[in-house]
Amino acid sequence: MSAGFFSVAGGLLLVHAVLLLLNAHAGQCGCYKRIFSFGDAMIDTGNFVQLAAGKAASSKFKEAPYGMTFFRHPTGRICDGRVLIDFYAEALQLPLIPPYVPEKDSGQFPHGANFAVYGASAMGEGYNGHNDTVTSPWPLGQQTTWFEEMLQRIAPGGNGAKVRQILAESLIVMGEIGAIDYSSWFDVGGASEDAVDVIPDVITYISHFIEEMILNQGAKAFLVPNILPMGCRPSYLSRFRSSNHSEYDENGCLRWFNDFSQKHNQALAMNMGWLRRTYPNVTFIYADYYGAAMEFISNPGRFDIGDPLLACCGGDGPYHTGGECNSTAKIWGDPAHFASWDGVQLTEKAYSIIAEGVLNGKFANPPFPLRC
Ligand SMILES: *[C@@H]1O[C@H](CO)[C@@H](O)[C@H](O)[C@H]1NC(C)=O
Ligand SMILES: *[C@@H]1O[C@H](CO)[C@@H](O)[C@H](O)[C@H]1NC(C)=O
Ligand SMILES: *[C@@H]1O[C@H](CO)[C@@H](O)[C@H](O)[C@H]1NC(C)=O
Ligand SMILES: *[C@@H]1O[C@H](CO)[C@@H](O)[C@H](O)[C@H]1NC(C)=O
């Protein structure tokens, strides 16, 4: 009895000591108090449905089965449940980060704001390098303009000291962004070989906006994710189906598109190296979404996922594509056993695995600063 009591007390003391230790470090590195995030559908939490309200393109996202898993109602996420930014907020013990657009005139955003929009490209309308194939109305440049407008509103004043103070306590999640630049290129029938020429331009855009935030607003910490293996995307597997077996890798993904994703990712990683050398006082965490996703693509059983190349919500076509995911689409099973939600975007299950890989695993470099 008393031995039991003492071991419990000892345990409490130990917990207390650990908490003191954690607190001791809190002042030094400072936990992030806010997240500001930029990107595309992968982390849009409600901007697109607001921006495109009334348009056919957005209405399906406001209906079941979107949101069926976690929120149990549609939220504007292009997913059955939570997306990556939700898991990052939870990990930093912040409330879910609100989408910017619905609150753009009044929100104080004490824990940050999410500027990501479904369909957003890195490059803007002014981009003319390759026949202006990018037509996203809310590209990264628009999102960073909203960011500046928000800062002017919540931290007004001359010298920007208040803005710098906010940014010093904030984590910027820069992406994933860029995948749309490539998919829009493929969508208009742009030659695959030429798409490689677009990569340096996409990287230049991402890097430019990162530098602007460092120089103009005093941003101190970035999480910069790379892009997923596009050759494992059900919509591409269906659209670019081939009878030539050597076009597929050992997981059944299209080799060429995965190689292409890797080329973008290598260029992004190189750019991170340059940014780190140029801004030694800024933290750049490179998040390897490609590597984290390959875990469930190459070993789905470990995560209780069935075939990771099949969409959960879609049609009767190959890889469960051939129809959009809308209120009358077929749900092929419990989303917890699927990696792809609608043939392009991932399920909450897949995002939870990627987030785990970034937050606690080996897919963030340097490791994600979860604790101070
Ligand atoms: C780009 O424009 C040129 C000249 O108009 C045209 O010849 C070429 O086919 C276009 N390329 C693509 C990918 O649209
Ligand atoms: C099959 O694909 C491989 C790899 O892309 C290519 O080298 C080969 O020429 C293709 N074979 C045929 C018959 O198209
Ligand atoms: C980096 O931080 C140090 C110490 O706070 C400071 O002296 C130095 O000016 C900073 N360098 C840059 C490039 O901001
Ligand atoms: C859902 O999409 C399919 C095409 O895939 C279409 O035929 C159907 O009318 C759509 N349902 C609704 C409710 O819009």
Side-chain angles (χ1 to χ4, degrees):
M1 238 339 205
S2 66
F5 171 78
F6 280 114
S7 70
V8 168
L12 287 176
L13 276 177
L14 192 70
V15 167
H16 192 62
V18 169
L19 285 177
L20 280 177
L21 213 76
L22 291 175
N23 282 339
H25 289 270
Q28 285 173 18
C29 95
C31 276
Y32 301 116
K33 294 186 175 161
R34 294 176 195 79
I35 298 176
F36 296 110
S37 48
F38 305 85
D40 58 25
M42 213 167 160
I43 60 165
D44 185 350
T45 52
N47 288 318
F48 178 74
V49 292
Q50 178 83 15
L51 288 162
K55 302 219 174 89
S58 79
S59 55
K60 64 173 180 260
F61 301 135
K62 288 193 272 190
E63 291 177 18
Y66 291 88
M68 66 182 274
T69 298
F70 180 79
F71 301 99
R72 309 213 177 263
H73 62 90
T75 61
R77 288 167 179 75
I78 321 299
C79 185
D80 60 304
R82 286 165 293 181
V83 294
L84 286 160
I85 195 72
D86 300 318
F87 291 108
Y88 298 155
E90 283 174 22
L92 291 175
Q93 296 177 1
L94 296 173
L96 296 184
I97 309 304
Y100 171 72
V101 173
E103 290 180 49
K104 69 199 262 293
D105 298 321
S106 59
Q108 288 303 309
F109 305 108
H111 306 290
N114 178 14
F115 299 88
V117 185
Y118 167 83
S121 51
M123 302 189 293
E125 278 182 275
Y127 176 73
N128 234 330
H130 294 268
N131 289 9
D132 228 344
T133 53
V134 178
T135 54
S136 161
W138 304 290
L140 191 50
Q142 172 63 67
Q143 295 179 27
T144 58
T145 300
W146 286 332
F147 175 62
E148 286 162 21
E149 287 168 3
M150 177 209 66
L151 288 172
Q152 266 168 29
R153 196 167 54 71
I154 69 171
N159 62 9
K162 179 89 169 94
V163 167
R164 283 174 187 271
Q165 189 195 329
I166 289 175
L167 269 284
E169 302 170 336
S170 302
L171 176 68
I172 309 279
V173 175
M174 182 50 92
E176 161 281 319
I177 187 83
I180 299 290
D181 299 72
Y182 308 127
S183 60
S184 66
W185 173 266
F186 301 133
D187 287 348
V188 298
S192 305
E193 305 77 48
D194 294 346
V196 174
D197 298 342
V198 183
I199 293 174
D201 297 332
V202 170
I203 302 295
T204 300
Y205 268 73
I206 296 171
S207 186
H208 164 77
F209 290 114
I210 289 175
E211 282 197 274
E212 280 211 326
M213 284 188 221
I214 296 169
L215 298 171
N216 298 345
Q217 284 103 26
K220 284 282 181 209
F222 291 88
L223 179 84
V224 186
N226 65 14
I227 63 173
L228 294 169
M230 296 207 301
C232 306
R233 189 190 272 193
S235 67
Y236 279 14
L237 284 162
S238 167
R239 198 168 123 204
F240 300 101
R241 220 156 10 129
S242 168
S243 53
N244 180 350
H245 287 292
S246 46
E247 288 188 21
Y248 293 89
D249 70 10
E250 66 281 11
N251 299 313
C253 302
L254 285 163
R255 216 183 271 283
W256 187 89
F257 285 100
N258 280 4
D259 289 347
F260 182 84
S261 289
Q262 303 245 43
K263 286 192 178 105
H264 166 93
N265 294 345
Q266 280 152 13
L268 185 69
M270 289 256 298
N271 183 255
M272 285 299 97
W274 179 81
L275 285 167
R276 283 186 185 120
R277 288 191 298 278
T278 309
Y279 303 101
N281 289 6
V282 178
T283 301
F284 297 99
I285 303 162
Y286 179 73
D288 182 11
Y289 287 3
Y290 186 108
M294 277 327 256
E295 298 273 288
F296 60 72
I297 288 165
S298 61
N299 196 354
R302 208 182 112 205
F303 305 98
D304 206 13
I305 288 174
D307 185 337
L309 307 183
L310 300 181
C312 178
C313 174
D316 289 314
Y319 303 93
H320 297 173
T321 64
E324 53 181 323
C325 177
N326 62 18
S327 60
T328 52
K330 183 158 176 181
I331 304 282
W332 288 85
D334 182 347
H337 303 305
F338 285 83
S340 177
W341 169 238
D342 61 357
V344 179
Q345 303 306 321
L346 303 185
T347 56
E348 170 178 292
K349 176 63 173 278
Y351 287 138
S352 74
I353 298 165
I354 294 174
E356 173 74 14
V358 170
L359 292 165
N360 301 322
K362 53 186 173 175
F363 297 106
N365 176 31
F368 194 93
L370 216 40
R371 284 177 193 84
C372 312

